Amino acid sequence: MRIATYNVNSITARLPRLLAWLESSGTDVLCIQETKCTAEQFPAEALREAGYESAVNATGRWNGVALLSRVGLADVVTGLPGGPEYDGVQEPRAISATCGPLRLWSVYVPNGREVEHEHYAYKLRWLEALRKAVAADAAGALPFGVLGDFNVAPTDEDVWDPALFEGATHVTPAERAALAALEAEGLSEVHPRPLKYDRAYTFWDYRELRFPKNKGMRIDLTFGNAPFTAAVKDSYVDREERKGKGASDHAPVVVDLDL
């Protein structure tokens, strides 16, 4: 069984590429982030024609998450139970469902903007709410995974130049501690292998030719409970999908499971 996580940076803008990638990659379940559309604008019919059921949590131009599955989609939970609000609303940043033999969450963690910004405090509250929300599933017997754009680089090795990020979000001790707290609920990170170079970056800014220079970050992550990680046979960053005209600034992260 092949699952993946992919920040598409607008599903409407990326739909032809996404459909082609789904077909070529043979992905069974895809966790999507940053749909940048409303639920009504989400291309569920085109995805259905490609063989995928959809569950979506999206309300407008920014944010938005979804799950695509060709192995079943049941018990959908839209949103982050107990999650914090920002500007008076709970943003569409989480969705979970049972997809065939496993349960998955697709998450898009807040960016945080700057350490002194309220969005950073909101990010830490959001990660704490995620920890609490996944605890029961993490402790269960069913293979369970949390995948998505976490907007946190777990270690200094996961950014192309740690010195440039000093004092910035994505690398602070508090953000990394929040990931460690998530893992303490019975989850372990699945580390992907790179298809090129020695580091498996998943995001490269569009500016300053950062992709061809491989000046990236690893912020798209997979965490799984013991039944999930025991079934992992391979994981890799599909760097090829970041290439060419109309690509997202993220690459898909693929996980192969013996399920």
Side-chain angles (χ1 to χ4, degrees), residues 115-170:
V115 173
E116 301 302 324
H117 199 284
E118 168 57 23
H119 209 259
Y120 177 78
Y122 163 62
K123 179 179 190 174
L124 296 180
R125 293 195 302 271
W126 201 95
L127 283 165
E128 174 61 10
L130 178 65
R131 180 191 68 79
K132 293 177 179 178
V134 305
D137 282 333
L142 196 70
F144 170 69
V146 185
L147 295 81
D149 179 354
F150 280 77
N151 272 314
V152 182
T155 73
D156 281 352
E157 291 187 354
D158 296 310
V159 295
W160 64 276
D161 187 347
L164 291 179
F165 289 86
E166 188 173 348
T169 60
H170 292 58

Side-chain angles (χ1 to χ4, degrees), residues 158 192-194 196-202 204 217-218 237:
D158 296 310
R193 58 183 174 87
K196 186 178 181 180
Y197 303 113
D198 60 345
R199 296 183 181 180
Y201 297 143
T202 66
W204 301 259
M217 305 176 70
R218 190 174 72 88
V237 178

Side-chain angles (χ1 to χ4, degrees), residues 81-95:
E85 295 183 347
Y86 191 75
D87 283 344
V89 298
Q90 187 180 117
E91 296 177 315
R93 294 183 174 275
I95 193 165

Side-chain angles (χ1 to χ4, degrees), residues 55-137:
V56 59
N57 181 14
T59 58
R61 183 180 179 187
W62 308 115
N63 310 319
V65 290
L67 281 162
L68 310 182
S69 176
R70 61 180 186 181
V71 295
L73 196 61
D75 304 319
V76 175
V77 176
T78 301
L80 177 60
E85 295 183 347
Y86 191 75
D87 283 344
V89 298
Q90 187 180 117
E91 296 177 315
R93 294 183 174 275
I95 193 165
S96 59
T98 300
C99 304
L102 74 167
R103 186 157 185 84
L104 295 175
W105 282 64
S106 175
V107 301
Y108 181 35
V109 176
N111 177 280
R113 300 179 187 172
E114 299 173 353
V115 173
E116 301 302 324
H117 199 284
E118 168 57 23
H119 209 259
Y120 177 78
Y122 163 62
K123 179 179 190 174
L124 296 180
R125 293 195 302 271
W126 201 95
L127 283 165
E128 174 61 10
L130 178 65
R131 180 191 68 79
K132 293 177 179 178
V134 305
D137 282 333

